Amino acid sequence: MTRRLAQVAKKVGVSEATVSRVLNGKPGVSEATRQSVLTALDVLGYERPTQLRGERARLVGLVLPELQNPIFPAFAEVIGGALAQQGLTPVLCTQTKNGISEADYVELLLQQQVSGVVFAGGLFAEADAPHDHYRRLADRNIPVVLINASIKGIEFPCVACDDAVAVEQAWRHLASLGHERIGLVLGPADHVPSRRKLEAARVVAKAAGMKLDDKFVERSIFSLEGGQAATTRLLERGVTGIVCASDPLALGAVRAARRRGLSVPSELSVVGYDDSAFMTCTEPPLTTVRQPIEAMGRAAVDLLCAQIQGGQAHPGELLFEPELVVRGSTAQLPVA
């Protein structure tokens, strides 16, 4: 007990006597100090005293599928900063291959009595994936916000970039450059944002008097290697322009073209999605559709805090407008 008091006191910057007063429910401690002590207990991994376990900690889970894709560290930076401004402590939960599952993370977060959870990418975006752990959060009335997809049948607030507008911008850009055989590299078939992108591509192609043939649509895992494999197949079918569902997929498309001796953009134009870090530093710099990460991340925190404070959850999705950023990976189709 003495060691625990000392560690918590050091973490918060108060005396051991103050920590003791909080743990024993004694008066004479400000609410701010009390909350800081309870948060320190959670962060250090100590169980709260029995009489305090009914209260939620000032912790918020931030669950990400990976950190290799630069878009997720970008979200983590914005959301973590916004949470700190609200006096909340983010707990980063990142999935790794053969590591802790998303459901396991949810169980750990529930044990820590978290105030809420933000999911940026994950199983909720896969229609056929198990969603029981999300239902557990809903049943426990834990505030939750999802980023970039909603779950059918569970009314969590969602912040999303408008996939339809993103694809329309990318497609019209390539069409304006003279491309007619435009391919798509998307995520798995049950990936909800990819489904939306495909539906939008069919609509915009039809409006332009073009047809999006199924042979010009490829599915892939979200990785550079996946983008390379999918693009290799599309190149065999004669595409001259490619719209990708992420920047890593687009970088894989550029690599696939070069492995076949093709030049980007003079022989193949490539458009990514996200405008994640360092896309200006690639060769060529990547044309991509930018997600408004700052605005989306802050909106997610605002929605979460409103729930934590007892407000009504925002129904449906908040859609944010993407922005096409033209760089060096797209060009006019050469006249045959």
Side-chain angles (χ1 to χ4, degrees):
M1 173 64 78
T2 302
R3 179 171 174 269
R4 179 175 67 169
L5 288 175
Q7 284 188 318
V8 174
K10 182 179 179 181
K11 183 80 173 175
V12 180
V14 298
S15 68
E16 293 182 28
T18 297
V19 175
S20 179
R21 296 184 76 83
V22 172
L23 298 184
N24 290 295
K26 302 292 185 180
V29 180
S30 70
E31 182 60 24
T33 299
R34 181 174 174 276
Q35 289 296 339
S36 296
V37 168
L38 294 177
T39 299
L41 279 175
D42 299 325
V43 171
L44 293 171
Y46 292 123
E47 286 192 8
R48 295 185 177 202
T50 304
Q51 69 272 21
L52 299 177
R53 288 179 190 170
E55 297 186 24
R56 289 178 182 167
R58 299 289 290 175
L59 303 176
V60 170
L62 175 54
V63 185
L64 306 176
E66 58 166 317
L67 291 178
Q68 290 184 328
N69 185 338
I71 197 65
F72 293 116
F75 267 122
E77 181 179 6
V78 172
I79 294 170
L83 287 171
Q85 290 176 352
Q86 297 291 334
L88 298 165
T89 302
V91 179
L92 183 61
C93 304
T94 307
Q95 298 173 68
T96 56
K97 188 176 181 182
N98 300 321
I100 299 177
S101 70
E102 192 175 80
D104 290 335
Y105 272 129
V106 167
E107 186 61 36
L108 290 171
L109 292 170
L110 286 172
Q111 291 174 12
Q112 291 297 318
Q113 299 281 336
V114 293
S115 292
V117 186
V118 177
F119 292 90
L123 295 179
F124 67 89
E126 300 172 21
D128 299 335
H131 292 159
D132 290 345
H133 53 292
Y134 300 115
R135 292 188 178 88
R136 283 203 65 202
L137 290 168
D139 292 342
R140 296 276 290 271
N141 293 318
I142 303 296
V144 171
V145 176
L146 308 176
I147 294 181
N148 271 339
S150 57
I151 304 174
K152 189 175 181 180
I154 304 180
E155 298 299 321
F156 288 146
C158 176
V159 172
C161 190
D162 195 322
D163 292 297
V165 173
V167 167
E168 181 179 354
Q169 290 177 350
W171 189 281
R172 291 189 184 282
H173 172 61
L174 291 177
S176 72
L177 295 173
H179 296 275
E180 296 181 351
R181 296 192 302 276
I182 301 173
L184 291 177
V185 178
L186 304 172
D190 70 332
H191 184 245
V192 175
S194 291
R195 286 182 175 180
R196 293 172 175 174
K197 288 180 172 68
L198 178 57
E199 291 171 4
R202 295 194 189 285
V203 171
V204 69
K206 184 177 180 180
M210 304 163 65
K211 181 183 178 183
L212 178 58
D213 199 304
D214 287 343
K215 69 179 182 179
F216 288 164
V217 179
E218 279 292 333
R219 303 284 187 175
S220 170
I221 60 172
F222 282 96
S223 69
L224 190 149
E225 293 77 15
Q228 180 180 348
T231 299
T232 298
R233 295 189 290 271
L234 289 174
L235 289 172
E236 292 170 353
R237 298 163 196 161
V239 301
T240 62
I242 293 180
V243 177
C244 297
S246 76
D247 289 340
L249 288 175
L251 296 181
V254 173
R255 179 194 281 179
R258 287 181 171 160
R259 292 285 169 87
R260 291 175 65 91
L262 300 176
S263 172
V264 176
S266 60
E267 293 175 283
L268 178 71
S269 285
V270 177
V271 182
Y273 179 75
D274 285 335
D275 194 26
S276 44
F278 308 119
M279 292 305 105
T280 59
C281 304
T282 59
E283 181 52 46
L286 187 68
T287 294
T288 187
V289 180
R290 176 182 295 158
Q291 289 200 70
I293 301 300
E294 181 79 22
M296 291 172 64
R298 290 193 171 276
V301 172
D302 288 344
L303 288 171
L304 190 78
C305 289
Q307 294 178 76
I308 291 172
Q309 293 162 11
Q312 290 292 321
H314 187 281
E317 292 181 316
L318 285 180
L319 288 181
F320 285 75
E321 193 85 355
E323 177 188 0
L324 178 69
V325 182
V326 179
R327 299 193 182 106
S329 65
T330 53
Q332 191 78 31
L333 183 69
V335 179

